[in-house]
Amino acid sequence: MSASVQWRSVDEDLPDDDTTVLIHLQCGEVWTGFLDAGQWRYVSADAIDEPVLHWAPFPNPPEI
């Protein structure tokens, strides 16, 4: 059984600061990143200049 990612619009909801999430950029790419006092950042801490449209929490890992 596969886990479904629940995407959330940044216009409706934002993750807590410093919580690593999946992010969907305007260019169509998907990365991991986090929100830092209103600035989206890649996990490397580099600022994201491309608009972030959606974010999603990581799904739970599979049971072993």
Side-chain angles (χ1 to χ4, degrees):
M1 177 167 48
S2 64
S4 175
V5 174
Q6 300 296 315
W7 290 104
R8 301 172 187 186
S9 171
V10 297
D11 294 333
E12 297 174 10
D13 189 23
L14 292 172
D16 293 335
D17 274 3
D18 301 321
T19 301
T20 302
V21 295
L22 297 171
I23 53 174
H24 172 241
L25 303 178
Q26 186 175 29
C27 66
E29 294 181 351
V30 174
W31 291 89
T32 54
F34 62 95
L35 195 58
D36 177 29
Q39 170 67 57
W40 283 101
R41 298 185 177 278
Y42 295 107
V43 292
S44 64
D46 292 334
I48 299 174
D49 295 327
E50 180 81 21
V52 175
L53 302 180
H54 301 89
W55 67 276
F58 281 96
N60 291 328
E63 292 184 28
I64 298 176

